[in-house]
Amino acid sequence: MSHQVALAFEDGITRFIKVGANETVADASYKARINIPLDCRDGACGTCKAFCESGKYDGGDYIEEALTDDEAEAGYCLPCQMVPESDLVLQIPTTSDVANTSAASFESTLSEIRRISETTCAFSLEVDKREDLSFLPGQYVNIEVPGSGGQTRSYSFSSGPEVDIVSFLIRITDGGLMSTYMRDTAQVGDRITFTGPMGSFFLREPKRQSLLLAGGTGLAPLLAILEKLAGMDNPHPVHLIYGVNTDIDLVELDVLQDYTQRIAGFSFDTVVGDPDSASQKKGYVTNHFEPQHLAEGDVDIYLCGPPPMVEGVRRHLEAEGLKPQNFYYEKFALAVVPDAEPAAPAAEAPAAQAAADQGYEIGEEHASFEAQFDARMALELAVVELTMGKLAEGQLGEFKVLAELAGKTLDGEKFINAEEFTVTNDAFHEFLFKAVGNEHLLQAYRRLDVPALMAAVLRQEHWIDGAVDADHLGIVAAFEKQDIAAARAAITAHNQHAKATMAAASKAAAQ
């Protein structure tokens, strides 16, 4: 009997292989031309060491120097020796490039478009060779927008992995590339290409109760998770809290109600931020955590929403002194300008393996904010080389609009709106990485936790270096003049001003 093994790489790419009876994962991987790390092939060196997120296997024979008993107990394994006894999910400690593989590409037909609210649209795709598409519930794909010249947008599946027709949710944004297509020109029967699956946000094997938290169209991957749970024998309670800004943003409530019948122990609440809402529960999702939802920390939390929501939940848990067994999250960018759509999930940082008794936290910061900002600067200096002199007039105009929007949230050395600045600032910095058309550079930028760090620290009352706004405009001006030296100087100076802002805010927060 063969089993399916998901190989999740550090750059967010996931490849699926079939492993036959009595076959090792490494042998099956190389048969599929996926070159995972490997050296001795007999359990002596530990080069292939991976982490098993889910599933059962025979670990095979190996020596202590290659894999200690403590590591094996924590879930580490040697693909050169292990033989699956069920489907598996493995975290492979390398990138897909190094493994000589990449995300698969699929052709599909647009089979349904549903405007399910004033702000949200759902669409479905009938995939060619559907049997070749495997994904984990919670993952996303990059969808090429028809008529855009190859531009892509990222969307999480809202359907489960066993469903024939795959589905997605999209927030309608004025001027958004996919929004405009779906609203104005899309027709059933259109051909659509996508690549994937991607992402480390997905359902793990349930071992305890779960708390699912959705912000807006962050509901999509959680619907995929619920669909998977509906087909499983899961004895653990599952509760979903679904938060939106206004009543019209609430969608798929009938689907959620149906899951209360299909999943034993499933319940859900809706929370609306608008104080004038007709909803019984208002405010933030954290306002409506009940003790039974958190089980004194014996809970797995799955959260998909914008960076401020992620940080708000983390701060709430810290304030309450609660550390969940596992905390998996995915952040997506809020829409602030035309062509910046909030349905696109950010490629979260690789899973961070904590001590066995502390569980997982996806996207956990491993470096200070200085290191994160320096990493962003290094990426930006590299992308300048690839984009200088290559931006069309319309792109330059959009770049300037992004800079101006970030500036509107500031007043000299004061914040007008610190939360909006975090979002608009991220959109500005992400622009060049989207414009260059290199998916690996874009994902490298998105794996940084700069927006989350800013959202966690910056507050309305804090000081901001007054040069930040001028830096943004200076970077744009350098591109308008095609002056690469000026762009590099402006980016380097901006990094210092940004770090000074963060240092002051961190100091103020600690007092």
Side-chain angles (χ1 to χ4, degrees):
M1 178 181 178
S2 65
H3 296 288
Q4 178 176 265
V5 175
L7 305 174
F9 294 96
E10 289 179 340
D11 53 359
I13 304 298
T14 303
R15 294 302 308 272
F16 292 80
I17 60 173
K18 289 291 185 182
V19 184
N22 301 316
E23 184 177 30
T24 68
V25 170
D27 285 346
S29 176
Y30 274 76
K31 280 169 57 178
R33 299 184 178 180
I34 300 174
N35 302 337
I36 64 174
L38 193 65
D39 190 0
C40 70
R41 299 178 67 89
D42 55 15
C45 69
T47 299
C48 65
K49 189 184 299 180
F51 183 78
C52 184
E53 295 245 28
S54 179
K56 299 177 181 179
Y57 56 91
D58 180 340
D61 297 321
Y62 50 84
I63 64 175
E64 178 79 6
E65 286 77 7
L67 186 70
T68 68
D69 291 342
D70 287 344
E71 287 175 325
E73 181 68 23
Y76 287 93
C77 52
L78 299 178
C80 75
Q81 293 297 299
M82 66 188 304
V83 175
E85 296 176 342
S86 71
D87 290 349
L88 303 178
V89 178
L90 297 183
Q91 291 286 347
I92 305 299
T94 190
T95 64
S96 60
D97 274 349
V98 173
N100 195 33
T101 189
S102 61
S105 182
F106 296 89
E107 299 293 330
S108 67
T109 301
L110 183 61
S111 60
E112 183 183 26
I113 310 168
R114 293 186 297 130
R115 186 69 177 264
I116 53 180
S117 81
E118 293 179 36
T119 59
T120 310
C121 175
F123 66 96
S124 300
L125 302 177
E126 186 172 348
V127 183
D128 298 356
K129 299 181 180 179
R130 175 64 179 86
E131 67 278 5
D132 293 339
L133 172 62
S134 297
F135 63 92
L136 301 169
Q139 290 190 305
Y140 70 94
V141 292
N142 290 328
I143 300 178
E144 184 175 319
V145 183
S148 69
Q151 295 190 61
T152 63
R153 294 294 181 266
S154 303
Y155 295 98
S156 299
F157 292 100
S158 60
S159 52
E162 284 83 29
V163 177
D164 288 339
I165 306 295
V166 299
S167 300
F168 305 87
L169 293 180
I170 171 176
R171 182 175 176 83
I172 300 298
T173 306
D174 288 340
L177 193 63
M178 183 65 85
S179 297
T180 301
Y181 165 71
M182 283 291 172
R183 182 183 57 204
D184 300 339
T185 63
Q187 298 288 329
V188 170
D190 286 358
R191 297 291 290 171
I192 292 180
T193 300
F194 64 86
T195 57
M198 301 178 186
S200 299
F201 182 78
F202 51 79
L203 176 68
R204 274 66 175 180
E205 180 181 1
K207 296 181 179 179
R208 58 188 61 81
Q209 73 178 64
S210 299
L211 175 61
L212 314 183
L213 304 174
T217 49
L219 178 66
L222 301 182
L223 289 176
I225 286 174
L226 290 173
E227 182 61 26
K228 179 68 175 181
L229 289 172
M232 299 172 61
D233 182 15
N234 174 32
H236 308 291
V238 179
H239 185 70
L240 166 71
I241 304 179
Y242 172 27
V244 298
N245 291 325
T246 67
D247 289 339
I248 62 173
D249 296 322
L250 287 171
V251 298
E252 305 291 57
L253 298 185
D254 55 337
V255 175
L256 293 176
Q257 188 61 45
D258 183 56
Y259 281 128
T260 64
Q261 304 301 313
R262 297 175 57 197
I263 303 173
F266 173 65
S267 57
F268 74 94
D269 289 319
T270 59
V271 178
V272 181
D274 182 359
D276 296 325
S277 166
S279 175
Q280 181 181 358
K281 297 181 184 294
K282 300 181 182 67
Y284 299 107
V285 295
T286 51
N287 298 146
H288 302 283
F289 285 175
E290 299 292 342
Q292 66 269 23
H293 299 154
L294 298 171
E296 298 182 337
D298 189 23
V299 61
D300 291 340
I301 296 179
Y302 293 84
L303 187 166
C304 186
M309 179 182 180
V310 173
E311 291 309 313
V313 171
R314 292 175 66 177
R315 289 198 303 271
H316 178 85
L317 294 174
E318 289 171 2
E320 294 296 320
L322 277 168
K323 183 172 181 61
Q325 284 293 320
N326 297 291
F327 183 17
Y328 309 104
Y329 63 77
E330 180 170 75
K331 298 169 289 186
F332 58 78
L334 292 171
V336 292
V337 295
D339 209 29
E341 298 174 6
E348 68 287 339
Q353 171 64 13
D357 62 343
Q358 293 178 329
Y360 266 126
E361 181 170 338
I362 297 297
E364 183 177 1
E365 289 80 30
H366 296 284
S368 64
F369 74 79
E370 289 94 344
Q372 289 279 328
F373 277 71
D374 286 344
R376 184 184 70 178
M377 179 186 70
L379 286 172
E380 287 180 321
L381 292 174
V383 83
V384 163
E385 302 282 347
L386 300 174
T387 51
M388 182 61 70
K390 298 178 181 179
L391 298 182
E393 184 177 347
Q395 290 177 301
L396 287 170
E398 183 178 349
F399 198 20
K400 189 171 185 177
V401 167
L402 288 169
E404 292 171 345
L405 282 171
K408 288 180 179 179
T409 67
L410 307 174
D411 180 12
E413 296 184 346
K414 296 180 180 179
F415 287 106
I416 296 174
N417 189 316
E419 185 174 309
E420 278 191 23
F421 174 75
T422 296
V423 175
T424 54
N425 180 73
D426 182 39
F428 171 80
H429 284 278
E430 187 183 59
F431 174 81
L432 291 178
F433 295 93
K434 293 168 68 176
V436 74
N438 184 310
E439 185 65 24
H440 294 292
L441 277 173
L442 176 60
Q443 298 304 337
Y445 170 78
R446 286 178 171 173
R447 281 196 298 275
L448 295 174
D449 277 310
V450 170
L453 289 168
M454 291 171 60
V457 174
L458 298 183
R459 295 292 179 269
Q460 210 74 2
E461 63 274 14
H462 289 164
W463 170 86
I464 182 169
D465 192 310
V468 165
D469 186 21
D471 289 341
H472 288 168
L473 295 172
I475 294 169
V476 174
F479 271 85
E480 291 173 333
K481 297 173 183 176
Q482 298 187 25
D483 187 338
I484 193 167
R488 293 175 64 87
I491 288 170
T492 302
H494 178 59
N495 189 52
Q496 294 304 315
H497 300 146
K499 290 196 295 184
T501 298
M502 286 292 290
S506 298
K507 182 178 179 179
Q511 292 176 345

